[in-house]
Amino acid sequence: MTAQIWVLGGTGRSARTIAAQLARLGLTAVLVGRDANRLHATAQQTGSETLPVPSLTAAAAEIRQRHPAVVINTVGPFTTTAPGVVDACRAVGSHYIDLANDVAALSAAYEMHDAAVQAGHTVITGAGFGVTATESVVVKLCEGRPAPLRVRVDMVPSIAMEEGTAGEALIGTLLGSLQGRRITDGHLAPARIFSDAERLTLPDGSQVTTASMPSGELLAAHRASRARHVLSATSEAPSSALFRAMMPTLSTLMRSERLRSFTTRHLARVHVRAKERPRDHSWGHGVVTWSDGETREGWLRLGDAQEFTGAVSAEIARRLLADKGRPGAYTPAALFGPTFAESCGATYLLPQPGRR
Ligand SMILES: NC(=O)c1ccc[n+]([C@@H]2O[C@H](COP(=O)([O-])OP(=O)(O)OC[C@H]3O[C@@H](n4cnc5c(N)ncnc54)[C@H](OP(=O)(O)O)[C@@H]3O)[C@@H](O)[C@H]2O)c1
């Protein structure tokens, strides 16, 4: 085996786009997964190699034995899957990347910072559209500035859906992030989920409504800005009044581990119909307000959000292979700065200060 970048969850949507983007960069992925036939089919589409393993525990054992340079974990929920894989990576000095975008998984990854520094390896979490697109805008707007008072980030993904099932990785992650949260007075605090709805006019003139949904974006925007108050919102928050009314009950129910895994298994099998991308671009958006009243707004424009996720993970892997990282646990723009998103194909649109 010559390739050094392993992609766990090798048969999934994210793994496929990551492998394709790695190939575009001249790098070969090793797709690691539990179904040899489907792995082989995916590898053929993307020019990858394969490593069939029966479970993530077996994948971790292989990491300890074969020391890949970089491991990209696409198997959510990451609060469950990351610890064992990161432990294996730390033991042999492999760099670790995952696509987490929920509060619990990002918090857990940040806690790994000191151990990662000691082991001399890099842990990158949030290596997907949501965290990278919104935190990049915040890093850009706050560059060289004191800590602001208030930050709001909005993510507006545009993704083409394939026919198939949603899958346990995605549903498990979604159900795990149904608790309302925001940063208040510098601390993570409970909040109403799907509140603070705002009608946004995108730079292309179209409009979307976003509402609060606590996610990895919230923590990444807080770290990037050090603002006292932070809110993260998304156009994916359900707008139906009925759903919003049911939320408190639903999120309480989903705190039960047994009920959540039962619901995850059932929803994961629900058939999803193919759907075209709803708009040409995906957007990351941020509004930063300082205590003197100055407000800056910025947008990051990119294409399909899933493709961007692939480009982000592939570019991070390329940089870590080339020794361009540093030991510790980070989100992408926190480590590589605001230009990182541009090297993944995105463009900033920054209106003049004062002209929101
Ligand atoms: N940060 C972001 O912006 C971003 C963007 C995209 C995705 N994501 C996250 O990335 C994750 C994957 O999304 P996806 O759309 O790629 O999902 P997907 O298409 O369902 O792929 C998931 C992969 O994980 C494997 N898997 C699931 N449970 C497993 C387990 N218990 N042990 C071993 N392998 C397991 C699946 O293997 P089988 O085929 O064998 O079941 C499949 O290969 C989700 O958590 C999602 O939330 C984040």
Side-chain angles (χ1 to χ4, degrees):
M1 193 173 293
T2 52
Q4 298 179 296
I5 303 170
W6 289 17
V7 185
L8 312 188
T11 54
R13 289 172 288 251
S14 301
R16 213 176 324 134
T17 50
I18 292 167
Q21 294 289 342
L22 284 170
R24 204 179 52 82
L25 297 174
L27 297 166
T28 306
V30 178
L31 300 177
V32 183
R34 44 189 186 181
D35 184 321
N37 290 334
R38 284 193 294 124
L39 266 186
H40 184 66
T42 312
Q44 278 198 320
Q45 289 167 21
T46 54
S48 310
E49 299 176 16
T50 61
L51 176 60
V53 292
S55 67
L56 274 185
T57 310
E62 292 287 345
I63 291 169
R64 286 173 191 271
Q65 220 171 11
R66 303 195 199 195
H67 308 191
V70 180
V71 174
I72 306 175
N73 180 12
T74 75
V75 184
F78 297 95
T79 41
T80 311
T81 66
V85 179
V86 175
D87 277 355
C89 288
R90 190 187 304 127
V92 296
S94 304
H95 299 305
Y96 171 88
I97 301 169
D98 75 30
L99 312 185
N101 57 350
D102 58 283
V103 167
L106 258 79
S107 302
Y110 287 140
E111 303 233 321
M112 296 168 180
H113 181 76
D114 290 347
V117 170
Q118 264 186 5
H121 83 142
T122 306
V123 170
I124 304 273
T125 190
F129 162 70
V131 170
T132 310
T134 51
E135 116 177 299
S136 295
V137 174
V138 174
V139 172
K140 183 94 179 163
L141 293 175
C142 293
E143 248 180 340
R145 306 271 305 156
L149 178 65
R150 205 171 289 284
V151 168
R152 175 182 175 125
V153 288
D154 303 270
M155 69 146 174
V156 182
S158 179
I159 303 179
M161 291 294 288
E162 291 173 5
E163 176 132 8
T165 53
E168 286 192 25
L170 189 59
I171 296 294
T173 303
L174 284 175
L175 292 182
S177 51
L178 286 183
Q179 256 180 298
R181 291 268 192 275
R182 65 170 69 200
I183 302 290
T184 304
D185 280 329
H187 299 287
L188 192 60
R192 263 190 58 217
I193 193 169
F194 306 147
S195 63
D196 297 85
E198 199 164 293
R199 190 86 177 137
L200 294 178
T201 302
L202 304 176
D204 65 9
S206 59
Q207 293 201 315
V208 293
T209 300
T210 62
S212 71
M213 190 155 132
S215 53
E217 286 95 85
L218 179 68
L219 295 191
H222 182 220
R223 287 215 156 198
S225 64
R226 294 167 288 116
R228 287 190 67 73
H229 306 287
V230 185
L231 176 78
S232 70
T234 170
S235 58
E236 302 297 279
S239 52
S240 115
L242 177 66
F243 197 89
R244 286 183 196 194
M246 284 163 48
M247 269 325 294
T249 317
L250 261 180
S251 61
T252 307
L253 288 174
M254 286 310 118
R255 272 179 232 157
S256 151
E257 180 65 42
R258 270 182 66 195
L259 195 57
R260 193 168 71 228
S261 66
F262 173 83
T263 315
T264 300
R265 281 198 304 280
H266 281 265
L267 288 182
R269 288 202 293 266
V270 170
H271 194 78
V272 181
R273 272 196 278 168
K275 218 171 68 183
E276 303 238 318
R277 266 207 275 166
R279 59 186 78 79
D280 284 347
H281 296 109
S282 302
W283 301 87
H285 176 239
V287 178
V288 180
T289 307
W290 281 267
S291 49
D292 63 1
E294 184 190 354
T295 294
R296 288 183 174 186
E297 178 182 27
W299 296 87
L300 188 78
R301 183 184 65 204
L302 50 117
D304 184 285
Q306 179 75 57
E307 297 290 325
F308 185 68
T309 292
V312 165
S313 291
E315 176 62 16
I316 296 169
R318 185 187 74 77
R319 291 182 184 208
L320 294 180
L321 264 186
D323 263 339
K324 292 194 172 147
R326 108 174 147 255
Y330 309 92
T331 44
L335 180 59
F336 296 120
T339 55
F340 173 78
E342 293 171 310
S343 57
C344 299
T347 307
Y348 289 102
L349 303 171
L350 304 173
Q352 292 305 306
R355 291 185 51 212
R356 277 201 60 195

